Amino acid sequence: MQSLLLSLWWNCTQAPDSLPAERRRSFEIMAEIYLLALCLQTVVAPLFFVVGHSLLGGLNLLCLGGYALALSLHRRLYVATALAVKLGVFLVFVSAGTAIAANQSSLIYYLLFAEVELMLADLRKRTKILATGGLIALSLGVIHMPSLRLPAVPHSMVNTLLSDLGLGLVFVMLCAVILRMLAITDHHEHRYRRDAMHDSLTRVLNRRAVFERASSYWKKGQSFAVVLVDADHFKDINDNHGHTAGDAVLRHLANLLRDSLRNDDSIGRVGGEEFLILLPGAGQTQSIAAAMRIRDRLARHPCRLDDTVLPVTVSMGIALSREGLHLRDVIDLADRRLYAAKSDGRDQVVADGHADSSASRNADRLTRGAENALEIDEV
């Protein structure tokens, strides 16, 4: 039951995929405000009829209908119309309530909550300023309006209790809205950071992020190994099976690399079919063992697209941080060894030598890419 309610809540408040990223946070916050208000006033709705306030009970039902309509309009991206409906029925309800209870001064709390909603909504600044002026005018008008004392009210104590309950609910709503706003903000900030640091296809680190992590290790003087991994004959897979198959191979390799390495190891995509792995604290023996685990796992778990097995192997070049004077030297050495592995027949791991061998055609692009991504000139 709980999972069903959470699923319904998520479906009602989740921003549609068509909405731009910069508007999704405001959309979800306002959707939750509408839903919270709908749930809260549904709970207290019977109270007005029980104490004999049939007028407030009817207005409360009007609020419930208005909130449901506002949520529906909001989900259809009629943001301004939805807020106008919600605030309209809400202000009618609280204005009548404060007048009946002869406690117009409490209206300021409700109007402050309406102002919070107004500021959180995805509206133009000019619209917010004009609407704020309207709220100020309304508050002044209601504060100076004569009290309405209806004969249906059995005792003044009832009005006091209703007024206190209303103010308490305002603070409950403010607390809930702020907590949910913080949670939604944290969720979206995490998502933005993740998207900024990760490759959209494979979900491993992107070029800049993995080079920044390598630079962090280097600056701290922490030993690490660099493993460059390249899919063999990847162009043939794209040519023979299509780019969908190529994408499937890259995702399969990324998942396989994650499953083969430690939690502290980092994987980044630095080229079309090329990955860079950082193994903090690893020496040559541990690095070779990690590379062999990758090859073994790939042999046991080949990539499949529907019923087709896509033949792919990998070549790897390994370099240790202590083998270069600069970070770019280490990356260049790993690339030279990768080039040697591919030149010697592919599906191999090269972890030593080749410091003076010719660089691959990819070496200059890779090292320049690292420097451009980091925007530094290491000393």
Side-chain angles (χ1 to χ4, degrees):
M1 183 64 178
Q2 184 178 3
S3 60
L4 176 61
L5 292 176
L6 290 175
S7 177
L8 289 174
W9 186 281
W10 187 88
N11 289 332
C12 288
T13 58
Q14 188 68 14
D17 294 335
S18 59
L19 199 64
E22 63 272 15
R23 298 180 58 193
R24 296 176 68 89
R25 177 172 59 181
S26 176
F27 177 95
E28 293 180 8
I29 290 172
M30 292 305 299
E32 293 216 5
I33 287 177
Y34 297 150
L35 200 52
L36 281 169
L38 183 63
C39 293
L40 195 60
Q41 288 207 227
T42 299
V43 172
V44 300
L47 180 62
F48 299 106
F49 294 100
V50 170
V51 299
H53 275 303
S54 57
L55 175 59
L56 286 180
L59 291 176
N60 188 80
L61 294 178
L62 175 65
C63 278
L64 294 179
Y67 295 168
L69 176 60
L71 181 59
S72 177
L73 290 170
H74 186 73
R75 288 199 53 77
R76 289 171 171 78
L77 301 183
Y78 296 108
V79 176
T81 305
L83 184 61
V85 170
K86 198 274 181 187
L87 289 182
V89 295
F90 174 72
L91 292 176
V92 168
F93 174 73
V94 299
S95 297
T98 53
I100 291 171
N103 188 15
Q104 289 94 330
S105 61
S106 64
L107 181 66
I108 189 63
Y109 296 102
Y110 300 105
L111 293 180
L112 284 174
F113 182 72
E115 179 70 10
V116 169
E117 293 179 301
L118 184 63
M119 292 299 105
L120 291 175
D122 184 18
L123 301 174
R124 294 179 180 178
K125 185 183 295 185
R126 181 181 178 182
T127 303
K128 293 182 178 182
I129 293 173
L130 291 174
T132 298
L135 289 177
I136 294 173
L138 178 62
S139 65
L140 293 174
V142 175
I143 287 174
H144 296 291
M145 183 175 66
S147 301
L148 296 178
R149 298 188 180 277
L150 300 182
V153 180
H155 194 273
S156 61
M157 183 61 69
V158 173
N159 291 338
T160 302
L161 291 176
L162 287 177
S163 178
D164 292 344
L165 175 62
L167 291 179
L169 292 179
V170 167
F171 283 98
V172 169
M173 277 291 294
L174 280 173
C175 178
V177 167
I178 292 173
L179 290 177
R180 290 304 302 155
M181 182 180 68
L182 292 173
I184 291 171
T185 298
D186 288 344
H187 168 75
H188 281 278
E189 287 182 353
H190 173 76
R191 179 178 177 180
Y192 297 150
R193 288 196 302 270
R194 182 198 66 191
D195 291 345
M197 295 179 61
H198 289 78
D199 174 60
S200 59
L201 175 64
T202 61
R203 307 313 305 168
V204 298
L205 295 175
N206 58 26
R207 171 195 292 265
R208 182 183 185 86
V210 75
F211 285 144
E212 285 180 345
R213 191 160 297 182
S215 178
S216 175
Y217 292 157
W218 185 268
K219 290 176 180 178
K220 293 176 182 177
Q222 181 177 354
S223 64
F224 60 94
V226 173
V227 183
L228 280 176
V229 182
D230 190 90
D232 298 327
H233 302 296
F234 184 74
K235 184 177 183 301
D236 293 341
I237 294 175
N238 277 332
D239 292 342
N240 296 331
H241 301 279
H243 288 280
T244 300
D247 290 347
V249 167
L250 293 176
R251 284 192 292 267
H252 179 74
L253 283 178
N255 291 332
L256 185 140
L257 293 174
R258 273 192 291 260
D259 294 340
S260 303
L261 300 173
R262 304 168 301 180
N263 292 334
D264 293 338
D265 299 333
S266 303
I267 309 162
R269 185 182 176 198
V270 294
E273 67 274 17
E274 192 170 21
F275 297 87
L276 186 148
I277 301 172
L278 297 174
L279 305 175
Q284 188 178 73
T285 302
Q286 297 95 322
S287 302
I288 293 175
M292 298 308 294
R293 282 199 307 273
I294 293 169
R295 293 179 68 243
D296 178 65
R297 185 179 288 269
L298 181 59
R300 290 186 289 110
H301 302 284
C303 180
R304 297 180 183 273
L305 184 63
D306 298 326
D307 296 329
T308 304
V309 176
L310 301 174
V312 60
T313 58
V314 293
S315 300
M316 287 178 268
I318 300 174
L320 305 181
S321 56
R322 65 171 181 266
E323 294 184 275
L325 294 177
H326 307 282
L327 175 58
R328 60 178 174 268
D329 298 333
V330 179
I331 295 173
D332 179 71
L333 181 57
D335 185 73
R336 289 173 187 267
R337 290 170 178 170
L338 170 63
Y339 184 57
K342 297 182 79 69
S343 299
D344 290 343
R346 295 182 170 83
D347 192 19
Q348 296 185 32
V349 177
V350 176
D352 52 21
H354 301 282
D356 299 324
S357 63
S358 59
S360 71
R361 289 174 294 179
N362 184 51
D364 185 56
R365 178 194 63 80
L366 187 64
T367 52
R368 280 191 295 106
E371 292 172 358
N372 291 339
L374 296 171
E375 298 177 353
I376 59 172
D377 185 14
E378 294 176 329
V379 181

